[in-house]
Amino acid sequence: MQANVIKDGAKATIKLSGRFDFNTHREFRGAYEPLVADALVRAVTVDFSAVDYLDSSALGMLLMLRDKMGGANKEVGLSGVRGNVKQVLDIANFGKLFQIC
């Protein structure tokens, strides 16, 4: 998986591509941790449009992201969710925890 961060004023997007699983936890954490400390960033969106697979550890990483950003009073949303990724997030009821568009 690759994680690219794009900042646009108070919004940041973490664009993921490939498989989002346990083996990618360091890269994902490395992408979002600077955003937690960045006072200019008020909202973070994780873009799943290029992700074809995620597992339960990815769900855990998203929950950790939500907790860290929530502690810093920052919003988190998910975008580009489709196919198998959408099914997994729906089954886990992530629509109740994240704004998904």
Side-chain angles (χ1 to χ4, degrees), residues 10-95:
K11 296 180 181 180
T13 301
I14 303 171
K15 185 161 180 54
L16 305 178
S17 61
R19 293 173 58 94
F20 187 20
D21 58 21
F22 179 76
N23 296 321
T24 61
H25 73 278
R26 282 192 196 108
E27 185 166 1
F28 184 67
R29 188 173 44 223
Y32 78 72
E33 280 186 342
L35 301 175
V36 174
D38 189 334
L40 298 177
V41 173
R42 303 305 311 145
V44 176
T45 300
V46 182
D47 182 352
F48 282 91
S49 58
V51 174
D52 51 18
Y53 173 84
L54 69 108
D55 66 5
S56 60
S57 64
L59 297 178
M61 288 184 266
L62 289 172
L63 292 174
M64 188 171 298
L65 168 68
R66 181 177 175 264
D67 288 347
K68 297 252 186 190
M69 292 298 174
N73 291 323
K74 300 176 190 240
E75 296 179 23
V76 179
L78 310 179
S79 69
V81 176
R82 59 183 168 69
N84 290 336
V85 171
K86 180 172 177 17
Q87 285 181 327
V88 171
L89 293 173
D90 286 347
I91 289 168
N93 281 324
F94 268 45

